[in-house]
Amino acid sequence: MPDDVLIIGGGLAGLAAGVALAEGGCRVRLLEQKPYLGGRARSFRDTATGSVIDNGQHLFMGCYHSTLKFLEAIGTSQTVTFDPQLRVRFLDVDGKLSELRCPSFPAPWHLLAGVCLSDSFTFGEKMDVLRMGRALRAANKAGPSLEQLTVEEWLSELGQRESLRRNFWDLLCIAAMNEDPQITSASLFRRVLRLALFNSPLDSRLGVPRAGLSDCYTDAAARAIADRGGSVELQRDVRALLVSNGECHGVKLADGTAIEARTVLSAVPWHVLPMLLPGEAVNSEPIFSRILGLHPAPIISVYLWFDRPVTDLEFVGLRGTTIQWLFNKGKILGTGENYISLVLSGAHEHVARSKEDLLDTAVQELRSLLPGMGGARLTHSLVIKERFATFSPCVGVDSLRPPAVTPVRGLYLAGDWTDTGLPATIEGAVQSGYFAAEAILHSN
Ligand SMILES: Cc1cc2nc3c(=O)[nH]c(=O)nc-3n(C[C@H](O)[C@H](O)[C@H](O)COP(=O)(O)OP(=O)(O)OC[C@H]3O[C@@H](n4cnc5c(N)ncnc54)[C@H](O)[C@@H]3O)c2cc1C
């Protein structure tokens, strides 16, 4: 086990790895480019309203076991609360509200019973979900052919009718995978469905952060590293990994400083790593050159402040609209502000639109979804486009994702995009950090 480990990147992956390594007895030095930690899962204060804003609303799931372990380890698990069972409400464009609430039966009966009891599905759609449950349980038999299929092809092969796909599976796919079912990998989606919906009622629960995302983990993780003799340094812009004779021996910063280290863990996003590696390593090592085949999938978040409450719902899936989820932030954070956030995932075709245009669409759609909001006046708004929110989990993506251990001695990788078997999620990021930490702790 190495004494000192240099980590690049202070997102969930880098911080989870840092805490695990520090707990394992390593002295951790973590370098983060930005003046803040958290990467793609962070929060900040809106200057106009003072409200706490996440760079995009995040949902947790009961199946995020590594994440829950991480939050326990740093003492912040109370910042995320879970419903006792899976409970999701859907609001249709005509204003109809329906619900999927799953009783605490053993899996998969919790989901199947929830669907059967729900007013969100027609009789035929309920039968389709039952068929899907059977197919998922027999999924091992489905085997490798699934690797070639998109979610849309797979769902239609399983006889899932159009209305159910549009109003349920597509919504789940876009929410969980951040990608259009027409290009999303069926095998990755199947894995997610099995873990999240068909494993256990506890794993299926949704969790909501009750504080700004950064407050859920960044300071506490940095403290856990510092308490064990490590350091977390902000505004440290790593420009190159120093590699010679097949071995990584440190990094070079933008100001020219070289930092020597025998063990380096890169926890930067996939579109950054190739720029830090020597060109010859990218060209000669397939695990690095394949990274260039990953593509981004954007998420757009629209934040709206009104002069009065517009809904009592805490969060709700939206159907028949461009925007897909509504989160009542004032209620979730317990601040009483009339502030909501709207999410548009897999937003390829919208990301080039102007913020004004996106805002108009969001407000118009909201008014048709919530006719009761009447003359509520919009007092403030914010639109955030995360163009590189996640990698696109398209067919074949698993073969592009590198493992934690690389052919360059002393260089390890973490990040939601590495080979975790999960889509780009909080859980994928934390797991990747743990995988890398484990590999480092067991190295000579
Ligand atoms: C809008 C949005 C909504 C999302 N919603 C959900 C959700 O509901 N549920 C869910 O599970 N997941 C969600 N995700 C995904 C989740 O946020 C990510 O999977 C996770 O945060 C990725 O963490 P990471 O540590 O792998 O990468 P990052 O968070 O990208 O961290 C990488 C870090 O490296 C730093 N860095 C980059 N280059 C350098 C450099 N040269 N030198 C030093 N540091 C560098 C970056 O500044 C960053 O801090 C969402 C993501 C977005 C963007």
Side-chain angles (χ1 to χ4, degrees):
M1 177 186 92
D3 292 342
D4 296 326
V5 180
L6 191 61
I7 300 179
I8 318 167
L12 276 158
L15 288 169
V19 171
L21 285 163
E23 282 177 344
C26 297
R27 195 166 49 240
V28 169
R29 184 172 181 190
L30 186 147
L31 309 176
E32 165 56 47
Q33 180 187 57
K34 297 279 182 346
Y36 49 80
L37 296 169
R40 279 169 284 153
R42 68 176 184 283
S43 51
F44 58 94
R45 263 191 200 278
D46 177 54
T47 44
T49 58
S51 305
V52 175
I53 316 257
D54 294 336
N55 67 311
Q57 176 67 44
H58 282 55
L59 272 179
F60 291 60
M61 287 206 75
C63 61
Y64 282 16
H65 297 173
S66 301
T67 307
L68 297 176
K69 183 175 149 195
F70 171 57
L71 297 182
E72 282 289 336
I74 59 173
T76 60
S77 50
Q78 77 290 349
T79 55
V80 180
T81 62
F82 287 85
D83 281 336
Q85 302 114 10
L86 173 63
R87 181 181 182 208
V88 194
R89 287 173 165 184
F90 298 103
L91 187 56
D92 285 284
V93 71
D94 60 6
K96 180 185 166 231
L97 187 65
S98 55
E99 183 178 67
L100 170 63
R101 185 200 285 252
C102 298
S104 297
F105 297 166
W109 305 110
H110 70 300
L111 182 74
L112 302 178
V115 166
C116 286
L117 295 171
S118 170
D119 54 353
S120 200
F121 305 92
T122 64
F123 178 75
E125 290 171 349
K126 290 176 184 181
M127 292 300 108
D128 283 0
V129 176
L130 292 179
R131 193 173 316 130
M132 184 75 173
R134 269 202 305 275
L136 276 167
R137 286 206 305 286
N140 288 336
K141 280 189 233 145
S145 62
L146 212 59
E147 307 295 333
Q148 322 302 329
L149 293 185
T150 65
V151 167
E152 184 171 89
E153 289 164 345
W154 179 52
L155 293 175
S156 91
E157 216 172 66
L158 292 175
Q160 302 294 293
R161 71 199 60 208
E162 164 67 20
S163 58
L164 182 64
R165 279 193 262 157
R166 203 179 47 247
N167 288 326
F168 187 58
W169 296 124
D170 288 3
L171 203 61
L172 279 188
C173 176
I174 292 171
M177 316 292 286
N178 190 31
E179 192 50 281
D180 189 326
Q182 288 183 27
I183 60 169
T184 302
S185 154
S187 62
L188 196 49
F189 187 51
R190 178 190 68 183
R191 215 173 297 144
V192 169
L193 288 182
R194 293 179 83 184
L195 284 173
L197 292 185
F198 289 86
N199 206 28
S200 91
L202 287 182
D203 283 358
S204 301
R205 295 169 307 153
L206 291 174
V208 185
R210 300 288 166 182
L213 274 175
S214 298
D215 300 325
C216 295
Y217 71 101
T218 56
D219 286 352
R223 232 181 357 259
I225 292 171
D227 286 350
R228 290 166 178 83
S231 64
V232 173
E233 301 169 30
L234 303 178
Q235 292 179 291
R236 297 293 231 158
D237 186 2
V238 174
R239 285 296 167 87
L241 288 157
L242 302 174
V243 177
S244 51
N245 302 323
E247 189 163 355
C248 184
H249 54 93
V251 301
K252 191 167 179 189
L253 304 184
D255 64 8
T257 312
I259 300 178
E260 293 292 324
R262 286 187 45 220
T263 307
V264 177
L265 168 56
S266 164
V268 300
W270 85 94
H271 49 95
V272 175
L273 181 66
M275 295 189 287
L276 305 185
L277 283 163
E280 71 203 44
V282 178
N283 295 332
S284 63
E285 293 293 352
I287 81 153
F288 297 137
S289 47
R290 283 196 287 259
I291 297 170
L292 302 173
L294 291 169
H295 296 290
I299 298 179
I300 297 171
S301 305
V302 179
Y303 298 85
L304 304 174
W305 287 256
F306 290 95
D307 64 350
R308 68 195 79 165
V310 294
T311 178
D312 276 344
L313 296 166
E314 195 163 81
F315 70 92
V316 63
L318 308 174
R319 303 199 293 202
T321 48
T322 314
I323 47 173
Q324 297 143 355
W325 291 90
L326 178 158
F327 293 85
N328 186 343
K329 294 298 287 185
K331 191 162 180 176
I332 289 171
L333 297 175
T335 59
E337 295 161 287
N338 301 317
Y339 146 46
I340 61 168
S341 93
L342 304 170
V343 179
L344 172 46
S345 298
H348 297 284
E349 57 182 286
H350 300 284
V351 78
R353 290 170 60 186
S354 71
K355 291 190 173 180
E356 293 71 24
D357 191 20
L358 289 164
L359 181 64
D360 280 353
T361 302
V363 173
Q364 250 177 45
E365 290 190 347
L366 197 64
R367 289 198 187 278
S368 68
L369 288 159
L370 302 172
M373 70 185 264
R377 193 171 57 83
L378 184 68
T379 55
H380 182 55
S381 65
L382 186 70
V383 177
I384 300 181
K385 296 182 192 178
E386 285 278 0
R387 289 173 192 273
F388 286 76
T390 66
F391 67 85
S392 171
C394 52
V395 173
V397 76
D398 276 346
S399 65
L400 306 174
R401 304 171 71 184
V405 180
T406 76
V408 174
R409 272 193 313 285
L411 176 64
Y412 297 82
L413 304 180
D416 61 353
W417 57 279
T418 57
D419 187 15
T420 62
L422 298 174
T425 50
I426 295 166
E427 177 68 2
V430 174
Q431 262 192 24
S432 76
Y434 282 173
F435 289 159
E438 194 68 16
I440 292 170
L441 290 170
H442 288 102
S443 66
N444 299 318

